[in-house]
Amino acid sequence: MSSVATTQKSFDFKAFLANNGALVGLVVLCLALFIATPRFLTGPNLMNIGIQVSTIAVMAFGLTFVIVAAGIDLSVGSVAALSAMVSSYWVTTSGLPDGFSIVIGLLVGAACGWVTGAMSAFGKLPTFIASLAMLTIVRGLTLVISDGRPIATGDSVSFLGSDLGVIPVPIIVLVLSALVAGFVLNYTVIGKNAFAVGGNTEAARLSGIPVKRVLVTVFVISGIFSALSGMILAGRLDSAQPTLASGYELDAIAAVVIGGASLSGGVGRISGTLIGALVLAVIRNGLNLLAVSAFWQQVVIGLVIAIAVGFDVFRRKNVRH
Amino acid sequence: MSNEPLLVLDKVCKSFGRIQVINNVTVEVHAGKVSVLLGENGAGKSTLIKMIAGVHPPDGGRILLDGEQVKIPDTKASEALGIATIHQELNLVPSMTIAENITLGRVPRRFGIINRKEMRRIACAALDLIGLQLHVDTKVSELGLAQQQLVEIAKALSLDARVLILDEPTAALTTAEIHQLFEVVRGLKAKGVGMVFISHHLDEIAEIGDFVNVLRDGQFIATVPADTDENELVRLMVGREIDEQFPRVRSEVADTALLSVKGLGTSMLSDINFEVRPGEVVALAGLMGAGRTELIRCIAGADAYQTGSVSVAGSRLAGNDVAAATRAGIGHVPEDRKTQGLVLDASVAENIGFATMASTSRFGLVDQKGQRERAENVAERLRIRMGSIDQPIRSLSGGNQQKAVFGRWFTAGSKVLLLDEPTRGVDVGAKVEIYELINEITSSGGCVLMASSELPEVLGMSDRVLVMSQGRIAGELETGEATQDAIMQLAVSNVHRENEVGNN
C-alpha cells in the first residue's frame, strides 16, 4: 500500500526519460561539448547557435501544424525564399513603402500555403505531391522575379536580422514565434482541429469538423512561418538570395520529427520541435568547433535523425504493451 | 482416444504490468469439437487466443498439445504446431489473387521462378478442403468479406492446421454468409479439426458449439454444454441477472415529423421517403449492401445525394455538409467506431468534445474548462467506465468507446440520432446500457433512426421497421406485427422480382 503511494509521489525518472528523449539528448550533447571544448559555452557562440536555430525552428513551427494534421510540407524552403524575395523587390526594386514589406512577405507565404492546401484539400492531391510541386514552382518564381540575382532587403527586413543591444533580433522572433505557435496549437480551435484531423480524418469529418478548411489552414500557417523564417535569413545577409533556404525543408522536417511528432499525424508539440531544431543546431555547431569536416557532419546528422526517431518508435511500442 | 484433448491451456496466467488479465484459466480443445469462449469485452478472450497464437506467451501455467507440454514463443511456432488463428482483421493482401494469398510465404518455385501451375494446384486443393468454389486467379479485393474469411480458413488448412481459432468470425457477416461459414465449420468438425470459436451471439453458440467456456474478468467461471439456456449463459458471463435484453420503453410519439427524407436518391439509393417523429425509434433492416449505411451517411451529411431532400424539424438541410447537419441537431454514430467514430490516440474528453469544440469557442479559443466539465458530466451520466477522462480512448473497452461516441452527441444536444450498427462488437452488459440511452433520447423528445443487421435488436428496440432492399425501401412494418420472417421476406423482395425480370 505504502509502496504504491511512494512510487506515485516520487519523481518517475524512467518515465521522464522516455517522454523527453530529445530533451535529455540535447542536455547530454551540451554537457559533452562543454567538456570537449571551452569555446562552446561562450556568449558569442551561444548567440550564434540561437541565430542558426531561429531560421530552422521558426520554419519548423509552421511545419508542425501540417505534420500534426497528417500532412507534409516540402515547399517551406522555397516559400521562405519567395517571401523574402518579394518583400525585397517591393522595397528595393519597386520603391514602395518599406513599412509594409514584412507584411507583404507574410502574405506571400500565406498565399503559397493556401495554394498547396487547396491543391490537396480540393484537388485531392496527396500533400507530399502538392507541396513537392510547390517546392519547384515557388523556387522557379523566385528565380523569375530576381532574374537569378540577389536583391537588397529593405530596412524592416534587415532589422529582423540585426541585433537589439546584445540580443540578436532573430532570437527574439524565435521566442515570440514559439509562444504564438504553441498557443495556437494547444488552445485554439484551429490547433485542436489539426490534431483531430491528423488523428483520424474520417472521425473528425463525421463529427462536423471542416476537414478541408483545416487542411488549408495548416498550410497557410506553415506558409506564414516559412515566410518569417525566410525574411530573418535575408535580414542577416541584408539581401534576398534566389537560392535562399534551399534544402531547409529537410532540416525542418528533421526538427519536427526529432521533437517527437508522428508523420502519420495526430501527435506533435511546439516545444518538441524547438528542441529538435536545437539538437540539429548544437550538433552542427559542436562539430564545427571540433573541426569535423562538413562532409562527415552530414553523416552524423543523418545518424542522429535515425537514432532519435528510432528511439521514439521503440518507446511507443513499449508503451502500447 | 477421442477423450484425449487436442490442446489444453492448463491453469494459464498472464499479467501486463500490475494488471492480471488472465488468472488460472483452463480451456480444452478437442478434435472435431467446437469449443466456445464466452465473456464480455475485457474478460480475457483475446488474450487467451493470443497465448495460443504465440503473440502473448503465458507467464504461468502450461500449454499441452497432444498431452505434451509445448512452448509457443511466437506466431511462427504456433503455425508450426498446426494452430491457425482467423482474426477479425483478415491477414490477406487484397491486391493479390486467391492463389497468391494461399501460397504467401511459401511460393512454389522452379529454378527460382514462381511455379504458377503448382501455385494454382495448391490453392485449388485448399479451396476443395472446405468446398469453396471460386476461381483461384480472382483478386481477393473482389471477394466479399465472408468469402475472404473462407479463403483465409482454406489457407490455414492448407498449412495442415489441426486447431483453428475463429475470433468473432460472424461479426460482419450476413445471415446467409453465416450459414455458409457454419457449413464449413461442420465439415471441419467431421474432418477432426479442433476449433475455438468466439462470438457475442448466443444463438450461434447453440447452433455451432459443443461446449462453452465462460470467462469473466480474466477468471475461469465454468464450462457448460452449448445447449445451455441463454439466460443462464448471460448470468454466468455477466455475473448478475439481466432482466431484459431489450428494455425498450415506448415514449409518447408527437404528430409532426422531426426528421423527414423526401425522394432521396444516389447511384446506390432511389426514391427514399420516410419520416421519423419525436419519441420514435425507427429501425432500418435489410441485407448487407441494401443501402442502410449509405442512407444513414447521406442523412448525416457525410456523403452527397443527387436528388431529394432531408429536413429536420421542417427546415431543409444542405447536402453533404456534416457541420450543417450537426447544427440542425443530427448526431451520427457511425458503423465502425475505430475508423470512423474516434480519434484513438486522443483522450476520452477530447473525443466526446469534438462536436461542441467550435460552437463553444470564443474568439477561436477552445473553452478548455467547459469542454472538460461537459465531458465529465456526460461520462458520468452514460456510466463510461475509465480510469480518467484524460486517458487515451484507445484503452477503453468497445462498449465504453461506443458510449463515448453517443456522449459526443448527448453533449451537443442532438435530437436526431442516426445509429449504424450501434451495438456491433459490444458485450451484453454494455448493449443494455446503450439501449437505455436510446430510451433516454426518445423520452426527452428526440428520435432515433437505427440501422442494424441483428434482427432481435431490430424487433426488440424499435417502434417501426423500414426494410431496405437494393437501395429502396421495400416495406414498412409496425414492430408489433413484424417478425424475423416478415422482415427477411421484404429484404429479399426486390431481388426476386428483378431475377424474374432477368429470366424472362
Tab-separated table of all heavy atoms in Angstrom, chain A residues 221-279:
chain	number	residue	atom	x	y	z
A	221	ILE	N	-0.704	28.469	-42.272
A	221	ILE	CA	0.146	28.717	-41.102
A	221	ILE	C	1.596	28.365	-41.425
A	221	ILE	O	2.524	29.125	-41.131
A	221	ILE	CB	-0.356	27.888	-39.890
A	221	ILE	CG1	-1.704	28.431	-39.413
A	221	ILE	CG2	0.665	27.902	-38.758
A	221	ILE	CD1	-2.390	27.569	-38.361
A	222	SER	N	1.778	27.219	-42.072
A	222	SER	CA	3.123	26.806	-42.450
A	222	SER	C	3.767	27.846	-43.371
A	222	SER	O	4.939	28.197	-43.218
A	222	SER	CB	3.062	25.440	-43.142
A	222	SER	OG	4.331	25.038	-43.574
A	223	GLY	N	2.967	28.357	-44.321
A	223	GLY	CA	3.481	29.364	-45.246
A	223	GLY	C	3.905	30.636	-44.529
A	223	GLY	O	4.961	31.226	-44.829
A	224	ILE	N	3.102	31.068	-43.562
A	224	ILE	CA	3.409	32.306	-42.839
A	224	ILE	C	4.719	32.164	-42.047
A	224	ILE	O	5.594	33.039	-42.093
A	224	ILE	CB	2.239	32.671	-41.897
A	224	ILE	CG1	1.017	33.093	-42.729
A	224	ILE	CG2	2.646	33.798	-40.945
A	224	ILE	CD1	-0.251	33.282	-41.921
A	225	PHE	N	4.848	31.047	-41.335
A	225	PHE	CA	6.079	30.851	-40.568
A	225	PHE	C	7.299	30.696	-41.483
A	225	PHE	O	8.384	31.188	-41.173
A	225	PHE	CB	5.945	29.640	-39.629
A	225	PHE	CG	5.222	29.951	-38.349
A	225	PHE	CD1	3.902	29.590	-38.161
A	225	PHE	CD2	5.883	30.628	-37.327
A	225	PHE	CE1	3.236	29.885	-36.983
A	225	PHE	CE2	5.222	30.927	-36.143
A	225	PHE	CZ	3.895	30.560	-35.964
A	226	SER	N	7.103	30.042	-42.630
A	226	SER	CA	8.208	29.926	-43.585
A	226	SER	C	8.635	31.301	-44.067
A	226	SER	O	9.831	31.591	-44.193
A	226	SER	CB	7.788	29.083	-44.793
A	226	SER	OG	7.420	27.807	-44.380
A	227	ALA	N	7.655	32.152	-44.355
A	227	ALA	CA	7.956	33.500	-44.828
A	227	ALA	C	8.765	34.257	-43.780
A	227	ALA	O	9.777	34.915	-44.096
A	227	ALA	CB	6.651	34.243	-45.126
A	228	LEU	N	8.351	34.155	-42.532
A	228	LEU	CA	9.062	34.843	-41.450
A	228	LEU	C	10.495	34.334	-41.371
A	228	LEU	O	11.454	35.120	-41.281
A	228	LEU	CB	8.324	34.576	-40.130
A	228	LEU	CG	8.783	35.360	-38.902
A	228	LEU	CD1	8.724	36.852	-39.161
A	228	LEU	CD2	7.910	34.998	-37.697
A	229	SER	N	10.635	33.017	-41.451
A	229	SER	CA	11.965	32.416	-41.416
A	229	SER	C	12.822	32.928	-42.568
A	229	SER	O	13.990	33.272	-42.384
A	229	SER	CB	11.809	30.890	-41.490
A	229	SER	OG	13.007	30.282	-41.836
A	230	GLY	N	12.234	32.990	-43.764
A	230	GLY	CA	12.965	33.467	-44.931
A	230	GLY	C	13.429	34.907	-44.767
A	230	GLY	O	14.548	35.267	-45.160
A	231	MET	N	12.570	35.734	-44.167
A	231	MET	CA	12.939	37.150	-44.015
A	231	MET	C	14.035	37.337	-42.955
A	231	MET	O	14.869	38.220	-43.069
A	231	MET	CB	11.697	37.974	-43.698
A	231	MET	CG	10.820	38.116	-44.964
A	231	MET	SD	9.428	39.225	-44.781
A	231	MET	CE	8.328	38.234	-43.823
A	232	ILE	N	14.014	36.466	-41.915
A	232	ILE	CA	15.108	36.522	-40.939
A	232	ILE	C	16.431	36.210	-41.638
A	232	ILE	O	17.438	36.909	-41.477
A	232	ILE	CB	14.901	35.493	-39.797
A	232	ILE	CG1	13.638	35.795	-38.999
A	232	ILE	CG2	16.116	35.478	-38.872
A	232	ILE	CD1	13.272	34.716	-37.991
A	233	LEU	N	16.390	35.159	-42.451
A	233	LEU	CA	17.587	34.707	-43.149
A	233	LEU	C	18.106	35.802	-44.079
A	233	LEU	O	19.306	36.116	-44.098
A	233	LEU	CB	17.220	33.446	-43.948
A	233	LEU	CG	18.296	32.412	-44.208
A	233	LEU	CD1	19.007	32.021	-42.927
A	233	LEU	CD2	17.661	31.180	-44.838
A	234	ALA	N	17.171	36.422	-44.849
A	234	ALA	CA	17.562	37.500	-45.764
A	234	ALA	C	18.069	38.693	-44.971
A	234	ALA	O	19.028	39.364	-45.369
A	234	ALA	CB	16.377	37.899	-46.644
A	235	GLY	N	17.438	38.964	-43.828
A	235	GLY	CA	17.842	40.090	-42.997
A	235	GLY	C	19.269	39.944	-42.494
A	235	GLY	O	20.010	40.919	-42.416
A	236	ARG	N	19.671	38.721	-42.174
A	236	ARG	CA	21.046	38.502	-41.727
A	236	ARG	C	22.030	38.893	-42.803
A	236	ARG	O	23.108	39.406	-42.530
A	236	ARG	CB	21.281	37.018	-41.397
A	236	ARG	CG	20.567	36.475	-40.200
A	236	ARG	CD	20.893	37.191	-38.928
A	236	ARG	NE	22.288	37.063	-38.478
A	236	ARG	CZ	22.786	37.740	-37.455
A	236	ARG	NH1	22.030	38.592	-36.788
A	236	ARG	NH2	24.040	37.584	-37.106
A	237	LEU	N	21.665	38.608	-44.052
A	237	LEU	CA	22.581	38.849	-45.175
A	237	LEU	C	22.349	40.220	-45.805
A	237	LEU	O	23.061	40.605	-46.734
A	237	LEU	CB	22.378	37.776	-46.253
A	237	LEU	CG	22.467	36.319	-45.781
A	237	LEU	CD1	21.939	35.376	-46.851
A	237	LEU	CD2	23.919	35.976	-45.433
A	238	ASP	N	21.309	40.922	-45.359
A	238	ASP	CA	20.891	42.192	-45.966
A	238	ASP	C	20.546	42.047	-47.439
A	238	ASP	O	20.511	43.032	-48.180
A	238	ASP	CB	21.972	43.275	-45.787
A	238	ASP	CG	21.957	43.806	-44.364
A	238	ASP	OD1	20.860	43.909	-43.780
A	238	ASP	OD2	23.040	44.087	-43.825
A	239	SER	N	20.318	40.817	-47.880
A	239	SER	CA	19.866	40.640	-49.260
A	239	SER	C	19.142	39.307	-49.393
A	239	SER	O	19.467	38.357	-48.680
A	239	SER	CB	21.056	40.682	-50.234
A	239	SER	OG	21.721	39.449	-50.237
A	240	ALA	N	18.159	39.302	-50.298
A	240	ALA	CA	17.438	38.057	-50.564
A	240	ALA	C	18.113	37.345	-51.719
A	240	ALA	O	18.160	37.856	-52.833
A	240	ALA	CB	15.978	38.361	-50.906
A	241	GLN	N	18.667	36.156	-51.404
A	241	GLN	CA	19.328	35.360	-52.447
A	241	GLN	C	18.287	34.471	-53.123
A	241	GLN	O	17.405	33.943	-52.444
A	241	GLN	CB	20.386	34.449	-51.807
A	241	GLN	CG	21.364	35.134	-50.881
A	241	GLN	CD	22.497	35.808	-51.628
A	241	GLN	OE1	22.763	35.451	-52.781
A	241	GLN	NE2	23.115	36.797	-50.999
A	242	PRO	N	18.417	34.269	-54.428
A	242	PRO	CA	17.449	33.366	-55.071
A	242	PRO	C	17.557	31.917	-54.577
A	242	PRO	O	16.593	31.170	-54.675
A	242	PRO	CB	17.795	33.459	-56.563
A	242	PRO	CG	19.107	34.125	-56.636
A	242	PRO	CD	19.302	34.911	-55.395
A	243	THR	N	18.711	31.530	-54.057
A	243	THR	CA	18.854	30.152	-53.554
A	243	THR	C	18.647	30.079	-52.043
A	243	THR	O	18.935	29.071	-51.419
A	243	THR	CB	20.246	29.592	-53.865
A	243	THR	OG1	21.204	30.509	-53.321
A	243	THR	CG2	20.463	29.421	-55.341
A	244	LEU	N	18.112	31.163	-51.474
A	244	LEU	CA	17.912	31.235	-50.025
A	244	LEU	C	17.126	30.031	-49.485
A	244	LEU	O	16.148	29.618	-50.098
A	244	LEU	CB	17.129	32.521	-49.722
A	244	LEU	CG	16.828	32.855	-48.266
A	244	LEU	CD1	17.774	33.945	-47.789
A	244	LEU	CD2	15.397	33.341	-48.131
A	245	ALA	N	17.589	29.496	-48.365
A	245	ALA	CA	16.883	28.418	-47.653
A	245	ALA	C	16.658	27.171	-48.497
A	245	ALA	O	15.790	26.376	-48.207
A	245	ALA	CB	15.541	28.908	-47.108
A	246	SER	N	17.478	27.025	-49.524
A	246	SER	CA	17.285	25.844	-50.358
A	246	SER	C	17.745	24.602	-49.590
A	246	SER	O	18.822	24.580	-49.009
A	246	SER	CB	18.047	26.067	-51.662
A	246	SER	OG	18.616	24.925	-52.114
A	247	GLY	N	16.912	23.598	-49.540
A	247	GLY	CA	17.219	22.383	-48.779
A	247	GLY	C	16.815	22.466	-47.321
A	247	GLY	O	16.937	21.480	-46.592
A	248	TYR	N	16.322	23.623	-46.891
A	248	TYR	CA	15.955	23.761	-45.476
A	248	TYR	C	14.775	22.886	-45.080
A	248	TYR	O	14.587	22.587	-43.904
A	248	TYR	CB	15.612	25.230	-45.161
A	248	TYR	CG	16.790	26.059	-44.750
A	248	TYR	CD1	18.017	25.923	-45.401
A	248	TYR	CD2	16.696	26.984	-43.720
A	248	TYR	CE1	19.107	26.694	-45.028
A	248	TYR	CE2	17.778	27.752	-43.338
A	248	TYR	CZ	18.986	27.614	-43.996
A	248	TYR	OH	20.048	28.363	-43.627
A	249	GLU	N	13.943	22.501	-46.073
A	249	GLU	CA	12.766	21.692	-45.739
A	249	GLU	C	13.178	20.402	-45.029
A	249	GLU	O	12.482	19.931	-44.131
A	249	GLU	CB	11.920	21.378	-46.988
A	249	GLU	CG	12.633	20.707	-48.147
A	249	GLU	CD	13.352	21.703	-49.050
A	249	GLU	OE1	13.190	22.917	-48.818
A	249	GLU	OE2	14.076	21.275	-49.965
A	250	LEU	N	14.342	19.883	-45.426
A	250	LEU	CA	14.752	18.611	-44.811
A	250	LEU	C	15.129	18.814	-43.348
A	250	LEU	O	14.779	18.001	-42.487
A	250	LEU	CB	15.920	18.016	-45.606
A	250	LEU	CG	15.558	17.689	-47.057
A	250	LEU	CD1	16.737	17.083	-47.786
A	250	LEU	CD2	14.360	16.753	-47.117
A	251	ASP	N	15.847	19.922	-43.065
A	251	ASP	CA	16.180	20.209	-41.671
A	251	ASP	C	14.921	20.470	-40.855
A	251	ASP	O	14.817	20.056	-39.700
A	251	ASP	CB	17.091	21.442	-41.583
A	251	ASP	CG	18.560	21.047	-41.674
A	251	ASP	OD1	18.811	19.887	-42.044
A	251	ASP	OD2	19.423	21.882	-41.362
A	252	ALA	N	13.971	21.164	-41.461
A	252	ALA	CA	12.740	21.493	-40.739
A	252	ALA	C	11.968	20.216	-40.408
A	252	ALA	O	11.505	20.030	-39.291
A	252	ALA	CB	11.870	22.438	-41.569
A	253	ILE	N	11.856	19.327	-41.395
A	253	ILE	CA	11.162	18.057	-41.144
A	253	ILE	C	11.894	17.288	-40.050
A	253	ILE	O	11.280	16.758	-39.109
A	253	ILE	CB	11.074	17.205	-42.438
A	253	ILE	CG1	10.179	17.895	-43.459
A	253	ILE	CG2	10.536	15.804	-42.134
A	253	ILE	CD1	10.221	17.280	-44.843
A	254	ALA	N	13.239	17.262	-40.151
A	254	ALA	CA	14.028	16.541	-39.146
A	254	ALA	C	13.761	17.104	-37.757
A	254	ALA	O	13.591	16.351	-36.791
A	254	ALA	CB	15.508	16.613	-39.487
A	255	ALA	N	13.718	18.440	-37.649
A	255	ALA	CA	13.497	19.072	-36.341
A	255	ALA	C	12.147	18.640	-35.764
A	255	ALA	O	12.043	18.275	-34.590
A	255	ALA	CB	13.555	20.591	-36.473
A	256	VAL	N	11.103	18.649	-36.603
A	256	VAL	CA	9.768	18.290	-36.128
A	256	VAL	C	9.747	16.835	-35.674
A	256	VAL	O	9.205	16.496	-34.623
A	256	VAL	CB	8.711	18.513	-37.244
A	256	VAL	CG1	7.332	18.070	-36.767
A	256	VAL	CG2	8.682	19.977	-37.666
A	257	VAL	N	10.379	15.990	-36.466
A	257	VAL	CA	10.334	14.558	-36.168
A	257	VAL	C	11.188	14.224	-34.939
A	257	VAL	O	10.777	13.439	-34.084
A	257	VAL	CB	10.781	13.756	-37.404
A	257	VAL	CG1	10.960	12.298	-37.057
A	257	VAL	CG2	9.753	13.905	-38.513
A	258	ILE	N	12.369	14.832	-34.836
A	258	ILE	CA	13.197	14.610	-33.637
A	258	ILE	C	12.422	15.086	-32.413
A	258	ILE	O	12.507	14.499	-31.335
A	258	ILE	CB	14.550	15.358	-33.750
A	258	ILE	CG1	15.423	14.714	-34.836
A	258	ILE	CG2	15.299	15.343	-32.415
A	258	ILE	CD1	16.695	15.465	-35.128
A	259	GLY	N	11.619	16.119	-32.601
A	259	GLY	CA	10.832	16.656	-31.499
A	259	GLY	C	9.677	15.760	-31.077
A	259	GLY	O	8.910	16.129	-30.193
A	260	GLY	N	9.514	14.614	-31.718
A	260	GLY	CA	8.540	13.651	-31.232
A	260	GLY	C	7.238	13.619	-32.014
A	260	GLY	O	6.328	12.868	-31.665
A	261	ALA	N	7.109	14.418	-33.076
A	261	ALA	CA	5.871	14.377	-33.851
A	261	ALA	C	5.835	13.095	-34.680
A	261	ALA	O	6.882	12.539	-34.992
A	261	ALA	CB	5.770	15.585	-34.769
A	262	SER	N	4.617	12.653	-34.990
A	262	SER	CA	4.483	11.450	-35.795
A	262	SER	C	4.087	11.846	-37.203
A	262	SER	O	3.173	12.636	-37.401
A	262	SER	CB	3.416	10.552	-35.193
A	262	SER	OG	2.941	9.669	-36.183
A	263	LEU	N	4.794	11.289	-38.199
A	263	LEU	CA	4.462	11.631	-39.586
A	263	LEU	C	3.104	11.075	-39.984
A	263	LEU	O	2.543	11.479	-40.992
A	263	LEU	CB	5.541	11.107	-40.533
A	263	LEU	CG	6.835	11.931	-40.568
A	263	LEU	CD1	7.803	11.342	-41.570
A	263	LEU	CD2	6.577	13.389	-40.895
A	264	SER	N	2.558	10.166	-39.180
A	264	SER	CA	1.211	9.700	-39.511
A	264	SER	C	0.139	10.571	-38.858
A	264	SER	O	-1.037	10.288	-38.956
A	264	SER	CB	1.032	8.241	-39.110
A	264	SER	OG	1.443	8.039	-37.797
A	265	GLY	N	0.571	11.645	-38.199
A	265	GLY	CA	-0.387	12.647	-37.753
A	265	GLY	C	-0.902	12.451	-36.340
A	265	GLY	O	-0.734	11.395	-35.735
A	266	GLY	N	-1.517	13.522	-35.816
A	266	GLY	CA	-2.176	13.443	-34.518
A	266	GLY	C	-1.272	13.665	-33.322
A	266	GLY	O	-1.762	13.772	-32.206
A	267	VAL	N	0.034	13.721	-33.539
A	267	VAL	CA	0.970	13.875	-32.429
A	267	VAL	C	1.999	14.941	-32.787
A	267	VAL	O	2.529	14.927	-33.890
A	267	VAL	CB	1.716	12.544	-32.145
A	267	VAL	CG1	2.641	12.684	-30.953
A	267	VAL	CG2	0.738	11.412	-31.930
A	268	GLY	N	2.299	15.842	-31.856
A	268	GLY	CA	3.330	16.849	-32.095
A	268	GLY	C	3.265	17.961	-31.076
A	268	GLY	O	2.200	18.244	-30.531
A	269	ARG	N	4.429	18.538	-30.773
A	269	ARG	CA	4.485	19.625	-29.802
A	269	ARG	C	5.428	20.702	-30.312
A	269	ARG	O	6.452	20.392	-30.926
A	269	ARG	CB	5.017	19.109	-28.459
A	269	ARG	CG	4.017	18.318	-27.656
A	269	ARG	CD	4.555	18.017	-26.268
A	269	ARG	NE	5.764	17.186	-26.317
A	269	ARG	CZ	6.310	16.630	-25.246
A	269	ARG	NH1	5.803	16.844	-24.056
A	269	ARG	NH2	7.392	15.875	-25.352
A	270	ILE	N	5.092	21.956	-30.054
A	270	ILE	CA	5.978	23.046	-30.454
A	270	ILE	C	7.269	22.975	-29.649
A	270	ILE	O	8.364	23.154	-30.182
A	270	ILE	CB	5.271	24.407	-30.263
A	270	ILE	CG1	4.086	24.519	-31.236
A	270	ILE	CG2	6.249	25.551	-30.482
A	270	ILE	CD1	4.445	24.465	-32.701
A	271	SER	N	7.165	22.688	-28.352
A	271	SER	CA	8.380	22.596	-27.532
A	271	SER	C	9.292	21.494	-28.072
A	271	SER	O	10.509	21.653	-28.126
A	271	SER	CB	8.014	22.317	-26.078
A	271	SER	OG	7.295	21.107	-25.974
A	272	GLY	N	8.692	20.398	-28.497
A	272	GLY	CA	9.475	19.310	-29.069
A	272	GLY	C	10.196	19.751	-30.326
A	272	GLY	O	11.386	19.482	-30.510
A	273	THR	N	9.468	20.471	-31.192
A	273	THR	CA	10.072	20.957	-32.425
A	273	THR	C	11.241	21.887	-32.120
A	273	THR	O	12.289	21.819	-32.766
A	273	THR	CB	9.001	21.685	-33.261
A	273	THR	OG1	7.981	20.751	-33.600
A	273	THR	CG2	9.600	22.261	-34.520
A	274	LEU	N	11.072	22.747	-31.118
A	274	LEU	CA	12.154	23.663	-30.738
A	274	LEU	C	13.378	22.866	-30.297
A	274	LEU	O	14.508	23.154	-30.707
A	274	LEU	CB	11.676	24.592	-29.614
A	274	LEU	CG	12.725	25.564	-29.078
A	274	LEU	CD1	13.249	26.471	-30.187
A	274	LEU	CD2	12.149	26.413	-27.954
A	275	ILE	N	13.144	21.846	-29.487
A	275	ILE	CA	14.254	21.012	-29.026
A	275	ILE	C	14.905	20.304	-30.215
A	275	ILE	O	16.126	20.241	-30.323
A	275	ILE	CB	13.767	19.978	-27.982
A	275	ILE	CG1	13.384	20.706	-26.698
A	275	ILE	CG2	14.832	18.935	-27.706
A	275	ILE	CD1	12.596	19.868	-25.715
A	276	GLY	N	14.070	19.815	-31.134
A	276	GLY	CA	14.592	19.156	-32.326
A	276	GLY	C	15.512	20.080	-33.107
A	276	GLY	O	16.602	19.684	-33.538
A	277	ALA	N	15.071	21.335	-33.287
A	277	ALA	CA	15.889	22.299	-34.019
A	277	ALA	C	17.177	22.594	-33.257
A	277	ALA	O	18.254	22.732	-33.848
A	277	ALA	CB	15.095	23.583	-34.246
A	278	LEU	N	17.088	22.680	-31.925
A	278	LEU	CA	18.274	22.937	-31.101
A	278	LEU	C	19.269	21.782	-31.213
A	278	LEU	O	20.478	22.017	-31.334
A	278	LEU	CB	17.870	23.124	-29.632
A	278	LEU	CG	17.364	24.518	-29.252
A	278	LEU	CD1	16.700	24.505	-27.886
A	278	LEU	CD2	18.515	25.521	-29.272
A	279	VAL	N	18.751	20.553	-31.197
A	279	VAL	CA	19.644	19.397	-31.328
A	279	VAL	C	20.456	19.511	-32.613
A	279	VAL	O	21.682	19.377	-32.619
A	279	VAL	CB	18.835	18.081	-31.300
A	279	VAL	CG1	19.688	16.898	-31.739
A	279	VAL	CG2	18.274	17.822	-29.915
